[in-house]
Amino acid sequence: MNDVLRTPDDCFVGLPDYPFEPQYAGVRADGLEPLRMHYLDEGPADGPVALLLHGQPTWSYLYRKVVPVLVAAGIRVIAPDNIGYGRSDKPAVATDYTFARHIEWIRSLVTGLALRDVTLVAQDWGGPIGFSVLAAEPERFARVVAANTILHTADPALADRLTWAVHGVGDSRVVLEEGLVDYLLYTQRAPVLRPSDFVGAATVTPPDAEVLAAYDAPYPSVEYTAGLRQMIALLPLTRNDVGARIGRRTMRALEQFDRPFVTAYSDGDPATRGWDRVFQERVPGARGRQHVTMGGAGHFLQEDAGEELGRVVAGVIATT
């Protein structure tokens, strides 16, 4: 196997509002040796489980405002760092990261911890990854809260449904939002990627400098950022992409999911706007639910409205 990097522990000392004890589990994915995944495990061990999944370019620090609200409601919180992120191991070679492996790594954590009666809380890439784990392990999941997330399919039926267009046209063409293409190209060409730049740009209220620095803490040098950069390159932009095929398979599973499925999107995230309606229409468990639109929040709604998101999740668990 290629080299695996592990961010030194001292990079995580003194992070603001992140007092949680680190937990670690070995996780597996096809073709690679086991890796060490970091996760938070807070709240009562016998409480209902909320699995909080982050995306690009964040880590479990994103959920630091959500976790205390859930714990106070008697909920056990599991919040992992994707491989390549946070305190989890970071393969140094970009091609070691694939969409399928990200799914396998989270599935390995869920099965390894023997999680049941799980409420999946998914934002950004946490949706495509988490929904695909749900599709593979449906009996483990009791409900879903989808928060500013999508499911990559490039389906032509998405035409005129999304603010950021990604959909096929005819047999061999695709319509793409210019901003999405600009974002993808920038991240592949920039000599250095700093998560803080993206978090600061995609929140309504820019976080303090110390908070922004915490998002950069897992990456003391450019060598640690292979997974950070590669996840963006994995964005499926066409129907032929392997990730789009995974997304379509996962969507078929969601179209059979009749347990509670609640959308909690912000009003300030054009990148995911429209997906809440798509899920509401296509997932049986979303019909008749009280869906939420959070005002004054950007893409990283956990920063702008973390406590509110926590209350939404706790309410869904308590009432369903």
Side-chain angles (χ1 to χ4, degrees):
M1 178 173 163
N2 295 310
D3 290 342
V4 175
L5 302 177
R6 186 169 290 175
T7 304
D9 288 342
D10 59 12
C11 291
F12 301 98
V13 174
L15 300 184
D17 302 319
Y18 191 76
F20 313 112
E21 286 296 318
Q23 308 291 332
Y24 298 98
V27 296
R28 294 179 175 272
D30 184 57
L32 295 180
E33 295 296 319
L35 296 170
R36 190 179 79 162
M37 177 175 278
H38 167 257
Y39 65 100
L40 304 181
D41 190 344
E42 298 288 324
D46 59 351
V49 176
L51 176 66
L52 313 184
L53 297 187
H54 72 89
Q56 162 70 28
T58 59
W59 55 292
S60 57
Y61 185 77
L62 179 70
Y63 283 103
R64 71 194 182 283
K65 299 178 184 179
V66 179
V67 172
V69 176
L70 298 181
V71 170
I75 296 164
R76 180 188 178 190
V77 176
I78 305 293
D81 298 340
N82 287 318
I83 293 297
Y85 291 78
R87 300 185 79 138
S88 291
D89 281 352
K90 300 172 180 66
V93 175
T95 51
D96 282 344
Y97 300 88
T98 68
F99 186 10
R101 282 175 176 163
H102 277 296
I103 296 165
E104 288 183 70
W105 285 320
I106 293 295
R107 183 182 184 184
S108 181
L109 178 74
V110 169
T111 58
L113 295 179
L115 300 182
R116 298 271 178 185
D117 191 32
V118 175
T119 299
L120 172 63
V121 181
Q123 187 260 349
D124 195 88
W125 270 93
I129 294 170
F131 298 152
S132 298
V133 174
L134 181 154
E137 302 280 346
E139 73 284 352
R140 295 183 182 273
F141 290 86
R143 57 191 71 80
V144 174
V145 176
N148 286 4
T149 191
I150 68 175
L151 187 57
H152 315 107
T153 63
D155 187 343
L158 296 172
D160 301 321
R161 302 300 310 278
L162 311 175
T163 300
W164 275 32
V166 184
H167 63 83
V169 177
D171 294 330
S172 60
R173 296 192 178 191
V174 66
V175 175
L176 300 174
E177 183 71 21
E178 188 173 43
L180 174 61
V181 178
D182 289 341
Y183 165 68
L184 191 151
L185 292 177
Y186 169 79
T187 60
Q188 301 311 298
R189 296 170 178 174
V192 176
L193 288 185
R194 296 194 312 171
S196 58
D197 293 338
F198 301 99
V199 174
T203 46
V204 170
T205 303
D208 294 339
E210 295 80 5
V211 169
L212 291 174
Y215 282 106
D216 296 335
Y219 313 103
S221 68
V222 70
E223 290 77 15
Y224 289 81
T225 62
L228 186 71
R229 192 182 298 267
Q230 185 70 3
M231 182 174 274
I232 308 167
L234 296 175
L235 275 167
L237 301 182
T238 74
R239 287 165 284 184
N240 302 317
D241 190 289
V242 62
R245 293 198 295 272
I246 292 172
R248 289 193 293 272
R249 184 175 67 231
T250 296
M251 181 61 84
R252 289 194 293 271
L254 290 181
E255 289 172 340
Q256 303 301 315
F257 188 76
D258 59 2
R259 296 165 202 155
F261 189 110
V262 173
T263 61
Y265 281 55
S266 67
D267 64 352
D269 184 30
T272 64
R273 186 174 299 133
W275 273 103
D276 50 347
R277 293 293 182 87
V278 172
F279 289 129
Q280 289 166 24
E281 293 171 5
R282 298 184 69 170
V283 182
R287 294 167 194 155
R289 303 292 174 190
Q290 185 173 351
H291 302 286
V292 179
T293 301
M294 299 185 187
H299 178 65
F300 298 106
L301 73 170
Q302 299 94 327
E303 280 293 333
D304 287 319
E307 293 88 353
E308 182 180 355
L309 178 60
R311 291 190 292 271
V312 169
V313 174
V316 170
I317 293 174
T319 58
T320 61

